[in-house]
Amino acid sequence: MAVAPGPLSAKAGLVKATTTGVPGGEEARHGPDTFKRSALLALGALGIVYGDIGTSPLYALRECFTGPHGIPPTPANVLGVLSLIFWSLITIVSVKYLLFVMKADNRGEGGILAMMALVMQRQRGQPSHRSRPVLITLGIFGAALLYGDGIITPAITVLSAVEGLHVATSVFDPYVIPIALVILVGLFLVQRHGTADIGAVFGPLMCVWFLTLAGLGVKELVHNPAVLGALSPWHAVQLFQHNHLHGFLVLGGVFLVVTGCEALYADMGHFGRKPIQLAWFSMVLPALMLNYLGQGALLLRDASAARNPFFLLAPSWMLYPLVALATVAGVIASQALISGVFSLTRQAMQLGYSPRMEVVHTSAEEMGQIYLPGLNWALLVGVVALVLGFRSSSALASAYGIAVSTAMVITTCMAYVVARELWNVRRWVAVPVVGLFLVVELAFFGANAVKVADGGWFPLLMAVVVFTLMTTWKRGRDILAAKLRATSIPLKQLLDSFGDHPPVRVPGTAIFMTGNAEGTPPALLHNLKHNKVLHEQVVLLTILSEELPHVPPAERVEVEPLEQGFVRVVARYGFMENPGIPDVLKRCREKGLQFQLMGTSFFLGRETLIPTKRPGMAVWRESLFAWMSRNARSATSYFRIPPNRVVELGAQVEL
């Protein structure tokens, strides 16, 4: 394995203050801001960023009154729940994510791993690193939680949309699950084609969806404008006073209106902060609130509508078109989450927390549009199992929330570290602000925690499994690297030994890939030991993954000539980039390194890992690491090395 995360050198790691967690990095990625450009990006953000949160009206208010911990749809309770929904959208989405967390960009990229990398990058230069292990653990577990979200979101959004057929007629009841499964299987089957062609229509379709949400809400709102009084927080206070414990538990249903915030932050790099903010405040927030208020007005008029207030808002002639539109919106929301999981996995690979997987680029223009075949089929199996196991969106709602609320708490804790260490915000300012977010989110977490036995165990189990895999891979790579360094010798010592007994030199260039940018590659030592020859030109190539999303092209490759025909090359890539040998060789030529590809051989090490009881990891984790290593994508394929130019030299390593 030739990828190793490492600190930036003084030359390659210069990071201006305007590109690390403070405003400024975004413009470098997205160009100068103009209203027309922001408006176009905002339209695109409707289809990607707001797909998840935009489909919450399908089931959120319904669950507050008909879910396992629902409360009776009395007028006071309806106004109280609507007040909680409004202030949750304001506090969590508008203030926390849109105005606070999204400023913590890592050169324009967002997401919990990007934030973790941002904090780690700064902490490397500080004398004390006591909080580093805690922050890494929080960041990795937060990322692992989002995999459960990526499985539940397609299942619950598509199921809740198809269930709208029940409002029109009971004839379709036996076919709801088969129809949902066909749609979901079709969604995962088309992933290999990418979203480059259909992505352009996501934004306009979601624009129609949000306009429909607003229109349905206004239609009912004009008949009962008194529901606007729910915007007062006093109704939320009264709900808690009158319902006590049940009032607290209903927060588990209210929380469904803000799921999707983590995906919103993770997708920031695709559109930039300002277009996402523009889309939210100009369309998404007004449309959502108008629809929720409309549903509330309907419940004030007819409490029995609580069984499905969203679809009952529509006149009978509109039900079938609305089900079709809701299904399309659900598919778009699912697509956004699936793409987000693909992107998250690529980040994990580059940061050293996941083995190499096959990454297929589905667009020649957008490098962010990728497809991971193995992960895609694993997600499909998980989604199908969820639909068959839970069988309704109401049952799935019990599984939804615990993972996302936990991830939100982790994001808030890490945002506090960013505010204190990167923005130098005073403690007396940061503590009250972050404390407010934590009070709200811990309340949501507590309300969702009671749903663990009803289905919340699934995303938590998924998170524990993914967390174990990620930390095992990272720890295993560290142990393996230490073992290889212990058996290596300094390059200077090797070159000095050639003085008395120089090896036979053969024409051509040999490129030895190694994760250690200082020592001698084990493959080079094995080649000398067994073949007893060296090429005229020997290149020691190390590809490092930095804790930055993108490395500037001018700083990508460093070429250092050494003695006796040896050359050391260090190539650096960000965690949002895919390293490739063709790109590295091109930049080496630009730096003056001369070679003929047909006369060049690539030497790779292939280690056979043997679990032992020696200190390091438990035997079961060593066995798991060995299994992951055997099934990882080959370096030849991952780095796009010409396969007919590769020589692999194996060795056994006891862990």
Side-chain angles (χ1 to χ4, degrees):
M1 172 99 173
V3 171
L8 286 169
S9 66
K11 176 180 178 182
L14 294 176
V15 183
K16 296 181 176 62
T18 57
T19 61
T20 53
V22 294
E26 178 185 339
E27 183 170 323
R29 297 247 2 250
H30 298 282
D33 180 45
T34 65
F35 180 78
K36 181 179 179 181
R37 192 177 195 285
S38 294
L40 290 173
L41 288 172
L43 180 63
L46 290 178
I48 302 298
V49 175
Y50 292 113
D52 187 3
I53 200 170
T55 52
S56 295
L58 287 168
Y59 47 81
L61 196 65
R62 180 194 69 197
E63 291 305 310
C64 292
F65 299 109
T66 64
H69 304 288
I71 56 179
T74 64
N77 286 343
V78 170
L79 294 177
V81 167
L82 289 175
S83 182
L84 287 171
I85 288 175
F86 174 71
W87 289 106
S88 296
L89 290 173
I90 294 299
T91 304
I92 300 298
V93 186
S94 301
V95 179
K96 177 193 167 181
Y97 278 92
L98 271 297
L99 301 181
F100 177 55
V101 170
M102 289 186 70
K103 288 187 177 181
D105 68 286
N106 193 333
R107 287 197 173 184
E109 295 292 343
I112 197 164
L113 284 182
M115 183 184 285
M116 183 192 75
L118 179 66
V119 174
M120 293 302 99
Q121 175 189 324
R122 176 57 60 96
Q123 283 209 338
R124 288 182 185 274
Q126 296 179 346
S128 175
H129 307 306
R130 288 181 297 177
S131 63
R132 180 180 171 85
V134 175
L135 291 171
I136 290 177
T137 302
L138 285 176
I140 296 303
F141 190 69
L145 286 164
L146 297 181
Y147 281 87
D149 189 21
I151 293 179
I152 295 177
T153 295
I156 192 172
T157 52
V158 173
L159 253 183
S160 58
V162 178
E163 285 171 350
L165 293 170
H166 177 73
V167 176
T169 174
S170 60
V171 172
F172 290 102
D173 285 2
Y175 307 106
V176 167
I177 292 178
I179 292 173
L181 287 175
V182 168
I183 294 171
L184 288 167
V185 170
L187 172 64
F188 283 94
L189 286 176
V190 301
Q191 290 300 311
R192 61 190 181 91
H193 299 294
T195 59
D197 295 330
I198 61 176
V201 302
F202 277 7
L205 281 173
M206 288 304 291
C207 186
V208 173
W209 169 252
F210 285 115
L211 290 175
T212 303
L213 290 182
L216 290 173
V218 169
K219 180 186 76 69
E220 191 66 36
L221 195 57
V222 295
H223 296 299
N224 196 348
V227 76
L228 291 171
L231 301 183
S232 168
W234 177 244
H235 290 286
V237 175
Q238 287 184 314
L239 182 141
F240 292 128
Q241 290 177 342
H242 294 157
N243 293 277
H244 306 294
L245 178 61
H246 288 291
F248 172 75
L249 294 180
V250 82
L251 287 175
V254 172
F255 182 73
L256 296 174
V257 308
V258 297
T259 55
C261 288
E262 286 296 324
L264 178 154
Y265 176 42
D267 282 323
M268 181 174 64
H270 293 288
F271 301 98
R273 184 172 66 253
K274 291 182 180 179
I276 292 176
Q277 292 172 338
L278 177 63
W280 173 255
F281 289 108
S282 65
M283 176 168 283
V284 180
L285 177 60
L288 289 176
M289 277 315 304
L290 285 172
N291 191 266
Y292 286 127
L293 289 170
Q295 291 186 45
L298 174 63
L299 293 178
L300 292 179
R301 179 169 58 86
D302 179 11
S304 66
R307 68 185 189 276
N308 205 323
F310 175 80
F311 285 104
L312 290 172
L313 274 178
S316 57
W317 62 265
M318 189 181 177
L319 273 176
Y320 291 114
L322 184 59
V323 169
L325 180 60
T327 303
V328 171
V331 168
I332 292 174
S334 303
Q335 176 64 58
L337 263 294
I338 294 168
S339 300
V341 171
F342 289 165
S343 179
L344 180 68
T345 304
R346 178 174 66 175
Q347 292 183 31
M349 281 191 284
Q350 291 297 86
L351 290 171
Y353 289 95
S354 171
R356 295 183 299 264
M357 299 183 189
E358 183 180 1
V359 179
V360 179
H361 288 266
T362 59
S363 171
E365 291 79 24
E366 297 292 335
M367 69 175 297
Q369 293 185 11
I370 57 175
Y371 166 64
L372 281 70
L375 183 59
N376 183 68
W377 304 127
L379 289 174
L380 174 58
V381 171
V383 170
V384 170
L386 272 182
V387 173
L388 293 177
F390 287 86
R391 306 192 69 81
S392 74
S393 61
S394 292
L396 274 170
S398 298
Y400 209 21
I402 185 66
V404 183
S405 59
T406 307
M408 283 185 176
V409 172
I410 292 174
T411 298
T412 300
C413 294
M414 296 186 70
Y416 173 79
V417 177
V418 171
R420 293 281 294 127
E421 296 190 1
L422 274 70
W423 301 342
N424 297 317
V425 176
R426 295 182 182 274
R427 185 176 283 107
W428 64 269
V429 175
V431 169
V433 173
V434 172
L436 171 63
F437 299 145
L438 282 178
V439 167
V440 176
E441 291 169 349
L442 288 174
F444 282 135
F445 174 81
N448 281 294
V450 301
K451 300 190 295 184
V452 170
D454 296 325
W457 57 267
F458 175 81
L460 291 179
L461 177 62
M462 173 70 64
V464 170
V465 170
V466 174
F467 178 79
T468 301
L469 292 173
M470 294 173 78
T471 53
T472 297
W473 180 258
K474 178 66 172 177
R475 178 61 180 153
R477 294 304 303 176
D478 290 342
I479 293 174
L480 178 60
K483 295 280 187 182
L484 294 178
R485 281 195 299 269
T487 59
S488 182
I489 62 174
L491 183 62
K492 178 74 165 112
Q493 180 179 337
L494 177 68
L495 295 179
D496 290 344
S497 69
F498 292 165
D500 297 330
H501 305 284
V504 176
R505 308 298 288 255
V506 296
T509 299
I511 298 180
F512 291 87
M513 299 189 68
T514 173
N516 183 4
E518 302 297 332
T520 303
L524 173 58
L525 297 177
H526 286 303
N527 183 54
L528 280 173
K529 178 180 179 181
H530 297 288
N531 297 326
K532 297 179 174 56
V533 296
L534 271 182
H535 287 70
E536 289 177 339
Q537 181 171 249
V538 178
V539 177
L540 311 180
L541 173 60
T542 300
I543 298 180
L544 298 178
S545 179
E546 302 293 356
E547 292 171 349
L548 296 168
H550 304 275
V551 174
E555 302 170 359
R556 177 66 49 78
V557 171
E558 292 182 3
V559 177
E560 179 187 1
L562 303 174
E563 304 172 15
Q564 303 188 40
F566 278 67
V567 179
R568 188 177 297 282
V569 174
V570 178
R572 294 178 169 84
Y573 286 83
F575 58 77
M576 292 297 293
E577 299 172 316
N578 289 333
I581 287 298
D583 178 60
V584 173
L585 296 182
K586 174 186 174 182
R587 298 184 187 280
C588 285
R589 286 193 176 98
E590 294 172 354
K591 297 279 187 177
L593 182 60
Q594 301 299 320
F595 57 89
Q596 294 294 327
L597 185 59
M598 296 307 297
T600 300
S601 298
F602 294 84
F603 289 81
L604 308 179
R606 176 178 287 273
E607 298 84 17
T608 299
L609 307 179
I610 303 175
T612 68
K613 294 183 179 180
R614 295 176 181 175
M617 288 193 298
V619 175
W620 69 268
R621 289 188 72 190
E622 291 181 350
S623 300
L624 176 61
F625 173 65
W627 175 81
M628 294 171 70
S629 183
R630 288 194 301 271
N631 288 277
R633 189 182 181 194
S634 69
T636 301
S637 176
Y638 184 76
F639 293 112
R640 290 170 291 169
I641 306 173
N644 59 341
R645 310 303 307 169
V646 174
V647 177
E648 290 190 349
L649 299 172
Q652 289 189 343
V653 179
E654 294 185 348
L655 296 173

